[in-house]
Amino acid sequence: MKTKNTILLVIAFAFICTAAKAGEYHDDDKTALRNFLIQNSASPDYTNGNQLGLDDDYMAILNGTNWLTDESWVSEVDGLTWNEENPKRVTEIDWTLIYGVLAGSLDVSGCTALTYLDCSSGLGQHRLTNLNVSGCVSLTYLGCYGNQLTNLNVSSCTVLTDLYCYENQLTSLDVSGCTD
């Protein structure tokens, strides 16, 4: 009996240690955000992360080797909403009211819980040149107007109901998979 209790205690301890090491936020979502945040924005000497509320200390974390395990930066990014799952998934990204000018490539293809994405030029003149939403199977709203997109593939966004992509450089748009 004592051996059985010892084994159960070891298993419980191992489970607790594993759970403690697991991040609060999903790695795919953190990776997608980090890759965008470290890119230069359209404003000289600023990154997209700076434009979205991250100071130099948080940017140092993102540029360091432990950015995936040090999640202190995640809650500091303006315009993000996370669900309550474990690990948390990003469900909404709203960057229309950002005063800064976002630029570069935004790839949220691994963000499968994302339902709302608005990276339109609201207050600024965002200059996104690439947007990857493939695999965003929960996406119902996509606003990306006023950027510099030349290509946009929403064919895998089968539940998409609202799409605002005007004032870009799109020459075609395939919405054949958007049955809703």
Side-chain angles (χ1 to χ4, degrees), residues 14 19 23 46 51 70 119 128-130 145 147 161 164 173:
Y46 291 101
Q51 301 292 350
D70 182 347
C119 55
L128 298 180
T129 55
N130 187 38
Y145 64 83
N147 281 288
T161 56
Y164 302 93
L173 182 63

Side-chain angles (χ1 to χ4, degrees), residues 102-154:
L102 304 176
S105 180
L106 176 59
D107 182 350
V108 291
S109 58
C111 301
T112 58
L114 187 64
T115 60
Y116 182 96
L117 171 59
D118 202 334
C119 55
S120 302
S121 283
L123 299 175
Q125 287 291 74
H126 296 333
R127 297 185 183 124
L128 298 180
T129 55
N130 187 38
L131 176 60
N132 186 351
V133 293
S134 64
C136 292
V137 294
S138 302
L139 193 64
T140 59
Y141 180 98
L142 175 57
C144 57
Y145 64 83
N147 281 288
Q148 297 176 350
L149 302 175
T150 57
N151 183 23
L152 181 61
N153 184 351
V154 294

